[in-house]
Amino acid sequence: MSALRLISSVARRRVPPSLTLGRRGYAEATDKINLSLVLPHQVRNLHSTDVVQVNLAAATGDMGILANHVPSIEPLRPGLVEVIESAGSSKKWFVSGGFATVHPNNKLTVNAIEAAPLEDFSPEAVRTNLQEAHRVLSGNGSEEDKAEARIEADVYEALQHALGTK
Amino acid sequence: MSTWRQFFTYNKYTQIAARAVRQSLKENERLAAEKRGSTVLRYQHWEGGKGGEQVNK
């Protein structure tokens, strides 16, 4: 019995005190991360708002960013950015690609060239554009034109997927 | 997915994607957005302390 107590006290003492300083924890449910959605023209974006969670479409896969996320830089696919401001209310934006940067001080910056709320998109325009892109892809233009059409088709397909799951 | 790398720079790629997003907006948003799409780059060549003409691309 006393041997057990000795072992446990030794184990406790062996934790170096420096480990308790600056230890990264997981986000609490009420912690918020500071989000800035920045576009070059900056007409309408979120600047420095505290949100609970941000769902991003990164090039390596979909990810959700909570408070106290480890600093990272992620290139984004053309896709949805869902901003959950508090439990229950979320706003969905479609961004044309760009970068998401988590800074060490609990800030998240999403840089994109174009972004708009999902309500601002017209499904008919997306369908027409997608058909046009497919037409170029299956035509006999240059490889460069086809690569361009491939990029556009990816964007339209992502848009359709996003609008379908609204 | 990265087949465009042999043709375009990343700059061009993001501009193409942004143009695709602009063309998918609803009518009144699209008109405002198209104006943004006309200028990608604006540069000015400087020589000997004097700037040349500003060029829009």
Side-chain angles (χ1 to χ4, degrees), chain A residues 1 4 7-8 15 43 48 69-70 82 95 100-101 116-117 132 141 152 159 164:
Chain A
M1 189 58 179
L4 207 64
I7 293 172
S8 63
V15 173
V43 165
S48 235
H69 196 276
V70 66
E82 184 178 359
V95 302
T101 311
E132 178 71 30
E152 295 191 350
L159 250 179

Side-chain angles (χ1 to χ4, degrees), chain A residues 41-97:
Chain A
H41 51 90
Q42 217 178 352
V43 165
R44 165 194 54 200
N45 55 52
L46 303 164
H47 184 69
S48 235
T49 42
D50 283 331
V51 299
V52 170
Q53 182 176 345
V54 183
N55 292 329
L56 302 167
T60 52
D62 294 340
M63 57 194 303
I65 311 274
L66 294 168
N68 302 322
H69 196 276
V70 66
S72 55
I73 301 180
E74 295 281 341
L76 299 178
R77 300 194 309 263
L80 265 187
V81 167
E82 184 178 359
V83 178
I84 299 175
E85 282 167 34
S86 53
S89 82
S90 80
K91 183 88 190 279
K92 291 187 182 173
W93 301 72
F94 189 86
V95 302
S96 69

Side-chain angles (χ1 to χ4, degrees), chain B:
Chain B
M1 193 184 112
S2 283
T3 52
W4 52 265
R5 273 283 176 191
Q6 38 179 318
F7 301 110
F8 307 123
T9 60
Y10 181 80
N11 260 339
K12 188 98 200 288
Y13 164 73
T14 36
Q15 289 301 328
I16 292 171
R19 196 185 63 208
V21 169
R22 269 186 221 119
Q23 286 170 344
S24 310
L25 290 169
K26 284 190 185 147
E27 193 59 40
N28 41 350
E29 307 279 340
R30 191 159 55 80
L31 294 173
E34 288 299 326
K35 288 196 212 109
R36 292 199 289 265
S38 57
T39 303
V40 172
L41 179 68
R42 198 165 184 191
Y43 65 91
Q44 182 184 34
H45 183 68
W46 283 73
E47 203 170 322
K50 281 212 225 321
E53 204 183 306
Q54 286 200 2
V55 182
N56 267 341
K57 264 203 77 161

Side-chain angles (χ1 to χ4, degrees), chain A residues 129-157, chain B residues 3-4 7-8:
Chain A
N129 291 332
L130 183 57
Q131 280 168 357
E132 178 71 30
H134 276 318
R135 201 179 54 76
V136 176
L137 269 177
S138 53
N140 42 7
S142 68
E143 280 305 311
E144 196 174 315
D145 287 340
K146 289 198 181 181
E148 199 169 316
R150 182 75 258 169
I151 298 171
E152 295 191 350
D154 286 340
V155 173
Y156 298 134
E157 278 163 15
Chain B
T3 52
W4 52 265
F7 301 110
F8 307 123

